[in-house]
Amino acid sequence: MTQHKPPQAMTLFDLIARTWDVKTEVRALQFNAKGTSLAAQLADGQLAFVSVQDAESPDNRVRVEADTGRSSIRPRSKPLPPPVFSEAPVARADVPLCRLGDQGFAFPHAETGALWRATARGQTLAMNAARQDAVTALAALSRSGQVAVAHGTRLALVAETGGAEVAGIKLDHSVTRIAVSGDETLLACWGAGQVSIVRAEDMTCQAQIACDGKVLCLEWSPCQHWLVAGCEDKAVLLADVTAGASDRIVDFPAPVLSAQFSGKAKAVIASGAFRVVGWSLPDLPFGDHAGAPIETGKPGLTIVDRVAVHPKRDLCAVSYGTGLVMLCRIGHPDEMLVREGTGAAVTALAWSDDGAHLAIGGEDGSLSIATFPKNMFK
């Protein structure tokens, strides 16, 4: 007797997300400033570009039943446009790319390390006016139309068009991470166990703070009082910029790949443990003070690999080594399943500025954009 099996039920992720196979592990993700394009930096040095605009967005596929008022999302009916790839492995995989102007991206070239740019449609070009020294860190200053570029111990502000140096300073240490404050007045430059606070207006060093550990990510608090960093040696680094001092929260079960502030939740959260770790602002753990810990989501048996704070709500995306992705309300046990585990770890998470899109990159070469309907968070 022939057995007829029903088709597999579609998950929420199937209905709200677009997924492409870019063949190689995704190392970094970046939406451009206009929110029209997503760039993926791949482990082999290639760049992949996909359009954020979607002719079959979830909002366009929502149906509301007239009798019950119940909403549903119909499946897609058309194939996705394929990604656009750079012609060759052009980008250094160990230095994350950053935004450039309204539409483009800046990155260091794979062979020379010099500053290059990419358009929203994937064309890559040398920035001919830029220095040819190898770039070790990048960060965008969108309001002033500049990019902060580190060449070892030299920190420079360069013009978005052409890459010509506008101002620069030589620091006492090399720089591998740059964080720009929310108002773009201050640059935090980390490297070789030190972080220098540089004023962007005149490129003067305001302070230098000893910060132990190998920093994997670096971010300013909304009030510009604190810096937080996730470290490879299983610790969170906090720097009190006003006091010129730092402290470490140690003994995490795994390297802390991401640590971020949430202005909406007034908290800092971090990965690297069996649940999302966090503390309320301004009561952070520092010195002998334990701070005010908060609990986000539910504890489990799998370590939280990465977190990404929503830009407009008190939410965060949470990923695990299994490929599972959840959406959590910061400081609350509430969780929503975004994607079931795929067996391949998530290697990059990024929100668009409007919070409508969550980009997910995997070690298996998967690249996804989950687009949340407007009425989902009402």
Side-chain angles (χ1 to χ4, degrees), residues 58 66 84 127 212 283 325:
V84 174
M127 296 183 72
D212 293 334
D283 199 10
V325 179

Side-chain angles (χ1 to χ4, degrees), residues 141-184:
L141 286 80
S142 301
R143 297 178 190 175
S144 61
Q146 296 174 331
V147 179
V149 183
H151 304 277
T153 59
R154 181 166 182 78
L155 177 69
L157 292 180
V158 305
E160 287 178 347
T161 54
E165 185 171 313
V166 176
I169 183 175
K170 187 172 179 62
L171 300 174
D172 295 336
H173 57 88
S174 59
V175 177
T176 57
R177 296 283 170 185
I178 303 173
V180 182
S181 63
D183 62 3
E184 298 188 359

Side-chain angles (χ1 to χ4, degrees), residues 157-237:
L157 292 180
V158 305
E160 287 178 347
T161 54
E165 185 171 313
V166 176
I169 183 175
K170 187 172 179 62
L171 300 174
D172 295 336
H173 57 88
S174 59
V175 177
T176 57
R177 296 283 170 185
I178 303 173
V180 182
S181 63
D183 62 3
E184 298 188 359
T185 61
L186 296 174
L187 308 175
C189 308
W190 181 89
Q194 302 285 329
V195 63
S196 291
I197 309 301
V198 177
R199 193 167 67 175
E201 183 182 13
D202 55 10
M203 292 299 280
T204 57
C205 186
Q206 302 298 296
Q208 188 168 306
I209 307 168
C211 295
D212 293 334
K214 184 177 180 181
V215 166
L216 301 174
C217 58
L218 183 66
E219 184 172 307
W220 284 92
S221 66
C223 62
Q224 298 180 192
H225 182 101
W226 299 96
L227 288 167
V228 67
C231 298
E232 189 175 272
D233 55 343
K234 303 179 182 180
V236 166
L237 174 70

